[in-house]
Amino acid sequence: MFLREWIHHPAAVGAVWPSSGRLARRMAACVPRCGDGLVVELGAGTGAVTQALLEHGIAAERLVVVERSPHFVRHLRRKFPSVTVLHGDARRLTELVPPRARVDAIVSSLPLRSLPQADARTIVAQWGQVLRLGGCAVQFTYDLRNRLHYEPSGLRQCSTHLVWANVPPARVFTLEACS
């Protein structure tokens, strides 16, 4: 399934291989278990990070997955029947999240660096709009430099981790909503 999506929509998939368990667990570990707000996952693909979030202790009823590929959406709904899986585009995140919903975390596997700049900026700008104050955003990239490509307004970088046990190696950034 991953290979088929990659062949037909390489820029949308943005990876040459599905995320490893180590990368998925590293991303999930950045999300606080406590809280009663939503945890929104963007670009879940085959569900490696979704599975890691559930195993990390995020309750299924708190998890909302946004996926653009109809093939991945069908797969995710079958694999995680108790998780809300929305067929939608992260560029419309503010429309997809229920009005006045409290969002504790956003976990993104979106290929921001391979998307058109305007799209990536639109996506990242919405994180600050939907996250509660003190909430976090987690994003990984294959660019191993210790800097973000886009500086999101209202969010500050609070940690970064390298995950060598991934194909290719990846860097995980955690940001905190500060205004």
Side-chain angles (χ1 to χ4, degrees), residues 29-136:
C30 297
V31 177
R33 290 182 183 107
C34 59
D36 57 0
L38 299 176
V39 174
V40 179
E41 182 185 1
L42 304 176
T46 59
V49 176
T50 310
Q51 183 68 46
L53 287 165
L54 294 169
E55 289 172 0
H56 178 62
I58 303 302
E61 59 271 8
R62 289 181 62 208
L63 189 53
V64 175
V65 174
V66 177
E67 175 56 57
R68 191 168 73 173
S69 162
H71 299 292
F72 285 151
V73 167
R74 283 192 296 277
H75 167 75
L76 293 164
R77 286 178 176 162
R78 280 192 304 271
K79 187 172 181 179
F80 306 106
S82 57
V83 171
T84 301
V85 179
L86 303 176
H87 181 208
D89 192 316
R91 291 176 298 179
R92 299 177 159 262
L93 183 61
T94 57
E95 298 168 26
L96 295 169
V97 172
R100 291 180 287 286
R102 179 181 164 103
V103 177
D104 289 338
I106 294 171
V107 182
S108 170
S109 297
L110 297 174
L112 295 177
R113 292 184 58 83
S114 66
L115 294 176
Q117 270 193 359
D119 290 350
R121 289 187 191 285
T122 296
I123 291 165
V124 172
Q126 292 179 72
W127 296 357
Q129 294 174 35
V130 301
L131 275 173
R132 68 165 178 80
L133 191 60
C136 71

Side-chain angles (χ1 to χ4, degrees), residues 6-33:
W6 183 79
I7 289 169
H8 295 298
H9 309 285
V13 173
V16 295
W17 200 253
S19 297
S20 71
R22 288 205 179 158
L23 175 58
R25 287 189 297 277
R26 167 46 61 199
M27 292 179 76
C30 297
V31 177
R33 290 182 183 107

